[in-house]
Amino acid sequence: MSHRRQRSVAKVFLLVALEAAIVAACGGPPAGKSGGEAAGTDGRAPKAAPAFSLQDLDGKTVRLADSAGKVRLVDFWATWCAPCREEIPQFKELYAQYKDQGFELIAIAMDEEGAKVVRPFVEKHQVSYTNLLGNEEVEQAFGGVLGYPTAFFIDRDGKIVDSYVGGVPKRVFEKRLRELLGLGAAS
């Protein structure tokens, strides 16, 4: 094989590997987990959620402690992530249905362009729950985020009780949410 042909093959291989890495980073579950599978339910003791402060889309500082005493779903997402966008309608429904029962949904947008791309997206999709502009420090505080979307349920005592990587069906989130809120099974 000629040197020129070898370089072409190497370039194609590199592009395919790069594409696979990008797809995996946008909601791909870690090895051994299917998308939407809960972690942290294997008998390990829940750990305290990290204290953090981030800016919302208006530049106001929001702290996790601001919603203390509520059941919180913290969702790491990005506007360019297809599985993230697919979850938004179900998050809107869950938030509308349970916000008055002690539920807070906190979306942490990880777009590098920040509010410049997140604000128009949130406005276009009429997202009413809290949207914050994230950073790697907060990702690391949650133990590292393997891909988007990644969501964490935090109970009323401030403990992380579940985590999910990849797209998750509404019924899975709703079942766990109702348990954490102390409500019966969904009717």
Side-chain angles (χ1 to χ4, degrees):
M1 186 181 304
S2 74
H3 183 64
R4 178 186 234 164
R5 175 109 171 120
Q6 286 176 333
R7 285 193 342 203
S8 294
V9 169
K11 284 180 185 177
V12 168
F13 178 78
L14 183 60
L15 287 173
V16 169
L18 181 59
E19 183 178 347
I22 290 170
V23 168
C26 185
K33 285 208 176 282
S34 61
E37 182 176 339
T41 54
D42 58 3
R44 292 178 293 175
K47 69 177 197 173
F52 68 82
S53 297
L54 292 171
Q55 303 258 314
D56 68 10
L57 299 178
D58 296 320
K60 176 185 166 200
T61 299
V62 176
R63 300 174 314 130
L64 182 64
D66 295 342
S67 56
K70 293 184 177 186
V71 172
R72 291 157 286 183
L73 180 64
V74 175
D75 180 55
F76 287 86
W77 72 289
T79 60
W80 48 262
C81 170
C84 302
R85 292 190 309 264
E86 291 170 8
E87 285 186 329
I88 289 172
Q90 71 185 22
F91 284 164
K92 289 169 55 176
E93 291 172 10
L94 288 171
Y95 183 67
Q97 186 172 349
Y98 295 102
K99 69 181 179 181
D100 295 332
Q101 297 174 55
F103 173 56
E104 185 66 39
L105 204 159
I106 302 168
I108 300 179
M110 298 303 297
D111 293 82
E112 289 182 15
E113 301 89 350
K116 181 173 83 172
V117 296
V118 178
R119 178 187 302 283
F121 183 92
V122 166
E123 289 172 355
K124 176 181 177 185
H125 293 88
Q126 300 176 339
V127 177
S128 61
Y129 50 83
T130 303
N131 268 274
L132 306 176
L133 301 173
N135 57 43
E136 287 183 29
E137 183 181 324
V138 173
E139 277 187 338
Q140 292 307 313
F142 274 86
V145 173
L146 300 173
Y148 305 128
T150 294
F152 299 87
F153 261 123
I154 300 171
D155 68 11
R156 292 183 189 271
D157 296 323
K159 305 282 190 211
I160 297 174
V161 294
D162 287 303
S163 63
Y164 305 83
V165 177
V168 177
K170 178 184 174 188
R171 65 180 165 68
V172 172
F173 279 136
E174 186 169 24
K175 180 177 186 252
R176 186 60 172 134
L177 176 58
R178 291 183 66 82
E179 290 170 3
L180 292 169
L181 290 172
L183 304 173
S187 52

